[in-house]
């Protein structure tokens, strides 16, 4: 099943709850929060969970259910922080394979011990070596479609190749692992991303940057309603 997760900007804490409510009303399937590292771990512990709490307050759907909240931790001390983010309301916590320097499995186990589903993140030029070693304890693989610092947020062709490789590894494992992509997702490329194997699309500017979130999300869903390009 295809999911669209709305990426909520975090620069203005006062807007987080409002933006969350806006995308929930538009029909998003999940909320996505990026938490960037701070050299001061105590600030990570103070500000990060507060952002997640603000998003959680805006995550109640019209039917009374709570929308899943995914937290993408771009921090080094995942094991130390996982519990705080779980308590703040995260349902899934993902961490970067590269930044953990071989400590992927302990970080994922800490996330699971905190009561959350687990995710592992790869940038678009990074080998998927860590995925094969951790596939048994991963619930979601997140491939970044752009490189950090790319203000234009153009999808890199290498991301499509990486998604195809990740899909093969997931299918070979026999496990039900979601394959997400974040960065550069738009109505122009969402079909190609789905054809490559992605089933979860983290959408930021294409959704919250639109004048009407519901129409923007509808356009993305309609683009995926056509038959797979590879089957044509």
């Amino acid at each position: 099943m295809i999911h669209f997760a709305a990426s909520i900007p975090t620069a203005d804490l006062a807007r987080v709850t409002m933006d969350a409510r806006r995308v929930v009303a538009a029909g998003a399937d999940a909320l996505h929060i990026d938490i960037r590292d701070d050299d001061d771990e105590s600030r990570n512990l103070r500000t990060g969970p507060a952002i997640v709490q603000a998003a959680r307050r805006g995550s109640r759907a019209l039917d009374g259910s709570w929308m899943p909240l995914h937290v993408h931790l771009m921090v080094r001390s995942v094991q130390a922080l996982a519990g705080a983010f779980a308590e703040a309301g995260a349902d899934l916590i993902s961490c970067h394979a590269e930044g953990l320097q071989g400590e992927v499995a302990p970080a994922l186990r800490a996330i699971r011990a905190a009561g959350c589903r687990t995710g592992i993140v790869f940038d678009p030029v990074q080998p998927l070596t860590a995925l094969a070693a951790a596939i048994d304890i991963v619930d979601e693989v997140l491939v970044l479609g752009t490189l950090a610092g790319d203000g234009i947020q153009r999808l890199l062709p290498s991301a499509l190749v990486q998604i195809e490789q990740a899909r093969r590894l997931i299918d070979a494992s026999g496990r039900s692992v979601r394959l997400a992509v974040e960065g550069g997702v738009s109505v122009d490329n969402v079909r190609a991303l789905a054809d490559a194997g992605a089933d979860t699309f983290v959408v930021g500017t294409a959704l919250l940057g639109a004048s009407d979130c519901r129409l923007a999300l509808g356009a993305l869903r309609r683009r995926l309603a056509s038959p797979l390009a590879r089957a044509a």
Side-chain angles (χ1 to χ4, degrees), residues 29-49:
D29 300 300
L31 300 179
H32 179 97
I33 299 288
D34 290 328
I35 301 294
R36 289 170 173 78
D37 204 2
D38 192 305
D39 290 335
D40 184 338
E41 188 171 307
S42 65
R43 279 200 295 268
N44 280 333
L45 196 57
R46 289 196 308 271
T47 61

Side-chain angles (χ1 to χ4, degrees), residues 103-139:
E103 297 298 315
V104 173
L108 294 175
R109 291 192 187 99
I111 291 169
R112 186 159 287 179
C116 293
R117 290 182 291 126
T118 62
I120 186 170
V121 185
F122 296 91
D123 71 39
V125 295
Q126 181 184 357
L128 299 178
T129 309
L131 177 57
I135 192 68
D136 289 340
I137 52 174
V138 170
D139 298 306

Side-chain angles (χ1 to χ4, degrees), residues 65-219:
S65 63
W66 294 97
M67 183 167 290
L69 179 52
H70 300 177
V71 176
H72 170 191
L73 286 184
M74 293 177 275
V75 302
R76 292 181 293 272
S77 50
V78 174
Q79 290 166 257
L81 296 172
F85 282 95
E87 186 176 346
D91 295 298
L92 180 146
I93 298 175
S94 56
C95 55
H96 281 256
E98 184 178 22
L100 293 172
Q101 300 177 344
E103 297 298 315
V104 173
L108 294 175
R109 291 192 187 99
I111 291 169
R112 186 159 287 179
C116 293
R117 290 182 291 126
T118 62
I120 186 170
V121 185
F122 296 91
D123 71 39
V125 295
Q126 181 184 357
L128 299 178
T129 309
L131 177 57
I135 192 68
D136 289 340
I137 52 174
V138 170
D139 298 306
E140 180 177 278
V141 177
L142 174 61
V143 172
L144 301 182
T146 61
L147 290 172
D150 179 8
I152 301 176
Q153 292 288 289
R154 290 171 294 199
L155 181 75
L156 294 179
S158 59
L160 289 166
V161 175
Q162 200 174 44
I163 289 168
E164 291 175 342
Q165 294 172 346
R167 173 50 62 195
R168 287 194 291 270
L169 285 169
I170 290 169
D171 289 349
S173 75
R175 297 190 63 243
S176 179
V177 177
R178 297 202 68 86
L179 178 50
V181 57
E182 175 187 5
V185 177
S186 72
V187 72
D188 296 322
N189 58 37
V190 69
R191 174 77 271 166
L193 291 166
D195 289 357
D199 55 30
T200 301
F201 305 92
V202 181
V203 187
T205 303
L207 190 56
L208 279 166
S211 58
D212 189 318
C213 286
R214 185 179 294 275
L215 290 178
L217 185 56

